Amino acid sequence: MNLSKNKRVLTLFTSAENTDNAPPPSPSACPMESRIENLEISHAHLEAAVDELTATVLQQQQTISELRSEIEFLKSLVKDLAPAAVVPRSEETPPPHY
């Protein structure tokens, strides 16, 4: 008897859930909602990672540009300090037989 009473209560409970006045199922009850929520969370984490990587790349590009400028400056200093093995014709002294 106790079993049939439990079935009747369960039937009443499930039929009450199927009425139009019933609240929508909670997100944890619906597997599709849970999957969508997990995808949204994953998407948010990926967006944060992309933003962080973008900032890192921009910083590295700035550093590379600064280093290139320094290298060009140092090249010009070395070129000015080191005597050249071959001088331009305009600076070359004429041979003694002229």
Side-chain angles (χ1 to χ4, degrees):
M1 266 206 186
N2 199 7
L3 184 60
S4 68
K5 183 178 178 184
N6 287 341
K7 283 184 180 179
R8 194 166 18 130
V9 170
L10 182 59
T11 304
L12 289 172
F13 181 74
T14 55
S15 65
E17 285 184 346
N18 294 333
T19 63
D20 291 338
N21 296 334
S26 65
S28 61
C30 182
M32 184 62 78
E33 291 289 328
S34 177
R35 291 177 65 193
I36 291 173
E37 185 178 330
N38 287 339
L39 287 172
E40 288 174 343
I41 291 169
S42 187
H43 182 261
H45 286 294
L46 289 173
E47 276 186 328
V50 167
D51 290 343
E52 185 179 338
L53 289 171
T54 299
T56 302
V57 168
L58 289 174
Q59 181 185 9
Q60 288 176 345
Q61 185 60 43
Q62 179 68 28
T63 303
I64 288 171
S65 295
E66 291 171 1
L67 290 172
R68 282 185 176 164
S69 296
E70 288 181 29
I71 287 173
E72 289 303 317
F73 175 72
L74 291 173
K75 278 183 180 178
S76 68
L77 283 179
V78 168
K79 186 176 181 181
D80 291 343
L81 293 176
V86 178
V87 293
R89 285 191 184 262
S90 62
E91 294 178 10
E92 196 170 309
T93 57
H97 62 287
Y98 273 129

